[in-house]
Amino acid sequence: MKIKCILAALALSTGAAHADMSMSFNWGNIPLCTSGKPNRVGNPAFAMKGVPAGTTKIVFKMKDLDVPGYNHGGGTVSVEMSGNGTIPAGVFKYKSPCPPNGKHTYQWTATAKSGSKTLATAAAQRKYPE
């Protein structure tokens, strides 16, 4: 019994209790880009689910999974959100997807934070162009 209580406390302290945070997105109305020279555009709208209570900001980063060394950037959104909600389009700017050779897969990662403490992380990916 004591071990189960310790494991439950450990799971809560490591954020495992919030492993159900998830997100989704659509590219929205960004200009088509296939030149390999990204535009600076506003972020897509993000639909968030399972955001932990106490979240004060969500940090977003985008990565091209086909060229992971290229930094597309992202942004930080100050929020008072828990549960489900939407981060509106255009809150921050980033370098748009812009593969020079066909479709690439891009992944957005969202990290829910309270101060410097990470509460949960979620990721979603889509091809571009679709």
Side-chain angles (χ1 to χ4, degrees):
M1 179 68 163
K2 196 174 200 179
I3 293 174
K4 287 182 185 176
C5 291
I6 292 170
L7 289 175
L10 180 61
L12 287 172
S13 69
T14 60
H18 300 295
D20 59 345
M21 186 171 99
S22 64
M23 63 182 277
S24 61
F25 72 96
N26 289 312
W27 292 117
N29 296 324
I30 60 173
L32 179 64
C33 186
T34 56
S35 66
K37 297 178 182 168
N39 302 301
R40 293 234 2 118
V41 297
N43 65 281
F46 297 100
M48 306 297 300
K49 292 186 179 177
V51 177
T55 297
T56 57
K57 63 184 173 183
I58 301 178
V59 179
F60 292 92
K61 297 230 183 261
M62 189 178 84
K63 179 188 281 190
D64 181 341
L65 297 180
D66 296 293
V67 186
Y70 185 83
N71 183 6
H72 281 272
T76 299
V77 179
S78 294
V79 296
E80 290 185 17
M81 174 194 299
S82 62
N84 302 337
T86 300
I87 305 298
V91 175
F92 62 85
K93 299 237 183 234
Y94 73 104
K95 293 179 188 174
S96 70
C98 193
N101 53 359
K103 293 182 181 190
H104 284 196
T105 302
Y106 294 85
Q107 178 176 284
W108 277 104
T109 301
T111 304
K113 294 186 161 272
S114 177
S116 62
K117 181 180 178 187
T118 296
L119 302 177
T121 301
Q125 56 189 359
R126 295 184 80 84
K127 295 260 186 208
Y128 183 90
E130 293 185 293

